[in-house]
Amino acid sequence: MTDLVAAAEQLHGASGRKTLRPHQVRAIEMLRSAIGKEGVKRVMLMLATGAGKTVIAAAIIRMAREKGNRVLFVVDAISLVDQTVKAFYDEGLHGIGVIQGNHPMEDWSKPVQVASVQTLERRGMPKADLVIIDEAHSQREYMIKIMADPEWAKVPFIGLSATPWAKGLGNVYQKLIVPVTMQELIDQGYLCPFRVFAADHPDLSGVKIERGDYHEGQLGKVMNDSGLIADIIATWKRLGQNRPTLCFCVDRAHAKEVQRRFEMAGVPAGYIDKDTPREERNAIRRQLDAGEIRVVCNVNCLTKGVDWAIGCIILARPTRSEMLYVQMVGRGLRVNEGIPDCVILDHADNTLRMGFVTDLQHDKLCTAVKGERSKVERKEALPKECPSCKYLKAPKVRECPSCGFIPNIRSDIEEEDGELIEVTRGKPKPTMADKQRWYAELNWISINRGYKSGWASNQYREKFGVWPNSLDKRAVAQPSPEVLSWVRSRAIRYAKSQKPRAA
Ligand SMILES: [Zn+2]
C-alpha cells in the first residue's frame, strides 16, 4: 500500500494535479493481489466509463517501470494510437515509443510501447514484461493467439474493458476484477445520473435475430417507419429540453431521415457516420458546443472514444447487445458543467428489454464457446414504464419519481364493452387540487427553511412543467412524505451536479 501511495504521489503529487481516487487505488490493489499473490496471468479489469481508465493504466505502467519492466499497451485501432499517447503524456507518463509504420515516435528502445493490434499483427510483438490490452472485449484473434502462446505464458496480460461481457471472454481471461460499478460512480458524482423515458414502441416481433442481435436490414425497415420518426421529434421537443443530444440510429438512411425530420421541425441537426472525416466531425462538435445545432444523428460511430458534452441520448437503435447498449448510453453519462443529468429517450425498448445500464452487473466472464448461448445471465428485475409520463421506474417502485403518478393496481387494464383494452397511452393528469396541495407544501418548506422567494414556484415548475399562476400563492401546508422526498431527490441531484468534473 505504501509504495502504491508513493506511486500515486509521484504520478500526480509533484505537479499538484490530482491524486488517485479510492476506486482507482482499489483497482490497482486488486490487480496486484491477482497477479502478484494469486499468480493469475490473464486478468480482465472492468472499468466503467468515468472510472478514469487512463489514470489507472498510467499508474500500472508507472509501477511496472519502477521494477524495470517493459510494458506494451495495445489499442484496438490505429486511429486510437495518438490519442492514447497524448492521454499518457497528460498523466505525466514519458518514455513512450509507438509501433506504427512511419510514426515520428517510433523508437523500439523505449520501455513503454503503444501499438494497435492491426500493426502488431503485421509486425509481430515487441519484447514486453507486461501487456495491457485496451477495449479487450473486442477479442482480436491475433491477441488471443499470442495469449495462448507458451512463449508468452509467463507474461501477465491485463485486459481493460467497460463492457467485459463478450461471449467466450472467460476462455481467454482467468479472472474478472470489478473495482467500482457504474452506480457507485454515479453516486460519487463521477458519472452523471440519468432518467429514462420509454417512447413509442417499435414492433420488433418480425425482426430476425442474427448472432445475438437484430438483423440490421430488417431493423432499418421497421425503424424508418414515418410514425416512429415523428415520435422521435415530438418526444425530444417535449422531454429533451433543448439539450445537446446524440441520436443513435440503425443505418445511414435512417440517421439521415431523422436528421432531415429534425431540421424540418426547426431543430438544427447534424449527421455523422464512421466515414465522416475527422475535420467535419470536429466541426459538428464545435457547432453542438456552440448551440448552433442541437441534435447529432449518427450510425454506430460514437460508441467509442468520444467525450462530447451531451445532455440527452436518443436511442433509435434497438439492440440485444448489452455492450452496444452501455456504449450508447455511456456517451451521455460524462459529467459536464451545467448538465445536471442525462435524459434518455428510449425509442428502441432497450431499457425495457435489458434493464437500466446500472443493473448490468456480471460477476463472472462468459465462458460460452462459438455457437453456444451466452451463459451470462441477468439477475435484476426489469424496469417498468410509468403509464402517465413514460418515465422508466426501477423495479418494484410504485409511485413515479418523475411525475408522482401512482398506478392503481387494476388501472393498466380497463374493461370496455366487455372487451379488455390495454391502456398504455392514457395520461391521468394531476388534478388542480393535487397541484394546489403540492404548492402549499412547497411553500411550507420554503418558509421553514428560509429559502429565497421564488423557490417554491421554481420547484413547482420543475415538477409540473408550468408556473403556479392560477394557484393560491399564500396557501401553506405541512409537507407530505411524497413532497419531502421529491425535494430531497432534487437537492441530491443538484449537489451531485456541482461536483468537479470527472477526468
Ligand atoms: Zn410518471
Side-chain angles (χ1 to χ4, degrees):
M1 192 66 197
T2 41
D3 58 331
L4 183 69
V5 172
E9 275 168 5
Q10 266 190 327
L11 186 59
H12 297 300
S15 54
R17 276 180 302 165
K18 44 190 167 175
T19 47
L20 291 183
R21 299 174 191 152
H23 70 260
Q24 295 171 338
V25 173
R26 191 158 62 240
I28 293 163
E29 276 299 289
M30 289 168 89
L31 274 177
R32 284 159 56 106
S33 164
I35 297 171
K37 295 196 186 109
E38 296 167 41
V40 179
K41 297 292 184 204
R42 306 286 182 259
V43 187
M44 175 64 69
L45 178 61
M46 174 177 169
L47 295 171
T49 318
K53 183 172 75 178
T54 311
V55 176
I56 294 171
I60 298 168
I61 294 170
R62 171 80 46 144
M63 280 186 290
R65 286 299 306 130
E66 276 164 9
K67 290 184 193 153
N69 289 332
R70 296 178 62 88
V71 183
L72 171 65
F73 191 90
V74 184
V75 298
D76 201 42
I78 292 173
S79 62
L80 296 172
V81 168
D82 286 353
Q83 71 186 58
T84 303
V85 172
K86 185 183 176 301
F88 282 153
Y89 264 89
D90 290 347
E91 289 302 328
L93 198 67
H94 299 284
I96 302 175
V98 169
I99 305 173
Q100 192 184 309
N102 299 324
H103 197 284
M105 287 178 69
E106 172 148 17
D107 181 349
W108 292 63
S109 72
K110 291 277 196 279
V112 181
Q113 296 288 330
V114 175
S116 72
V117 61
Q118 292 81 3
T119 301
L120 291 175
E121 186 164 10
R122 279 197 302 275
R123 302 180 59 174
M125 295 281 285
K127 191 178 169 309
D129 307 300
L130 171 67
V131 180
I132 305 174
I133 303 175
D134 198 13
E135 306 288 346
H137 52 264
S138 60
Q139 300 196 83
R140 302 291 175 181
E141 228 167 276
Y142 178 72
M143 291 319 298
I144 293 175
K145 204 182 82 192
I146 293 293
M147 289 169 78
D149 188 331
E151 213 178 293
W152 288 90
K154 290 205 173 100
V155 176
F157 282 65
I158 300 171
L160 304 178
S161 174
T163 53
W165 310 318
K167 209 193 247 186
L169 218 45
N171 304 322
V172 182
Y173 292 87
Q174 301 156 279
K175 192 182 174 83
L176 172 66
I177 289 177
V178 185
V180 67
T181 65
M182 214 176 211
Q183 188 59 54
E184 286 164 348
L185 289 167
I186 291 173
D187 293 342
Q188 293 161 19
Y190 297 126
L191 274 184
C192 201
F194 61 88
R195 289 177 283 150
V196 190
F197 293 89
D200 244 10
H201 301 243
D203 179 8
L204 301 174
S205 55
V207 178
K208 200 165 69 181
I209 293 167
E210 223 177 38
R211 286 192 299 273
D213 206 354
Y214 294 112
H215 182 279
E216 238 170 67
Q218 295 183 0
L219 208 50
K221 284 203 189 90
V222 172
M223 297 307 288
N224 260 307
D225 175 278
S226 184
L228 281 178
I229 295 179
D231 187 60
I232 289 174
I233 317 293
T235 304
W236 185 84
K237 285 198 155 183
R238 191 159 45 87
L239 297 167
Q241 299 172 304
N242 210 31
R243 291 163 172 230
T245 301
L246 276 184
C247 176
F248 290 91
C249 299
V250 177
D251 53 30
R252 288 167 200 225
H254 182 222
K256 283 184 175 155
E257 181 60 13
V258 175
Q259 179 203 18
R260 194 180 72 83
R261 299 278 288 271
F262 264 116
E263 297 252 327
M264 268 171 59
V267 180
Y271 167 89
I272 279 180
D273 64 37
K274 69 176 171 41
D275 296 327
T276 305
R278 188 189 294 198
E279 281 309 303
E280 200 179 323
R281 203 184 270 226
N282 290 342
I284 287 173
R285 179 186 187 157
R286 278 194 300 275
Q287 287 177 301
L288 190 69
D289 284 344
E292 290 159 19
I293 55 175
R294 286 289 80 189
V295 181
V296 177
C297 301
N298 80 92
V299 195
N300 209 10
C301 70
L302 289 171
T303 51
K304 281 178 199 166
V306 181
D307 52 346
W308 296 14
I310 295 298
C312 175
I313 294 281
I314 301 174
L315 298 174
R317 172 28 165 138
T319 181
R320 299 179 76 86
S321 158
E322 291 183 342
M323 293 188 284
L324 179 57
Y325 171 46
V326 169
Q327 284 163 355
M328 291 193 287
V329 171
R331 297 283 70 83
L333 301 188
R334 296 246 171 208
V335 176
N336 293 290
E337 212 173 310
I339 304 178
D341 61 7
C342 181
V343 170
I344 297 166
L345 308 176
D346 187 351
H347 290 262
D349 280 357
N350 291 333
T351 314
L352 286 171
R353 197 179 307 113
M354 291 179 275
F356 295 117
V357 288
T358 39
D359 287 343
L360 297 173
Q361 286 303 326
H362 305 296
D363 41 18
K364 279 201 186 87
L365 296 167
C366 172
T367 53
V369 293
K370 220 176 172 181
E372 207 179 349
R373 271 180 78 96
S374 173
K375 285 176 187 166
V376 170
E377 291 196 353
R378 55 169 300 108
K379 294 174 220 138
E380 299 285 332
L382 291 168
K384 279 224 168 59
E385 181 181 333
C386 166
S388 172
C389 73
K390 296 191 171 187
Y391 176 87
L392 286 182
K393 302 177 289 178
K396 295 190 192 117
V397 170
R398 190 145 166 260
E399 179 183 336
C400 175
S402 184
C403 74
F405 178 71
I406 303 171
N408 192 311
I409 296 298
R410 288 196 50 80
S411 76
D412 55 339
I413 292 178
E414 274 181 9
E415 210 163 332
E416 195 177 295
D417 296 328
E419 260 184 291
L420 286 175
I421 298 166
E422 217 182 333
V423 181
T424 52
R425 302 276 183 274
K427 281 189 183 244
K429 288 198 178 117
T431 63
M432 281 314 279
D434 289 333
K435 289 182 165 185
Q436 178 67 66
R437 176 179 62 82
W438 265 78
Y439 192 54
E441 293 181 14
L442 288 169
N443 274 333
W444 189 98
I445 296 172
S446 180
I447 292 163
N448 279 277
R449 297 187 187 170
Y451 291 151
K452 276 186 232 161
S453 74
W455 179 87
S457 298
N458 271 310
Q459 294 288 312
Y460 180 92
R461 184 166 182 261
E462 283 279 331
K463 169 74 185 168
F464 295 104
V466 290
W467 294 106
N469 287 334
S470 56
L471 300 179
D472 179 2
K473 299 258 179 352
R474 284 158 307 174
V476 174
Q478 183 112 18
S480 57
E482 178 198 11
V483 170
L484 281 172
S485 89
W486 186 84
V487 167
R488 211 177 121 252
S489 71
R490 301 294 309 176
I492 290 169
R493 183 177 294 170
Y494 178 77
K496 280 186 185 157
S497 73
Q498 299 303 299
K499 287 202 181 156
R501 191 192 157 98

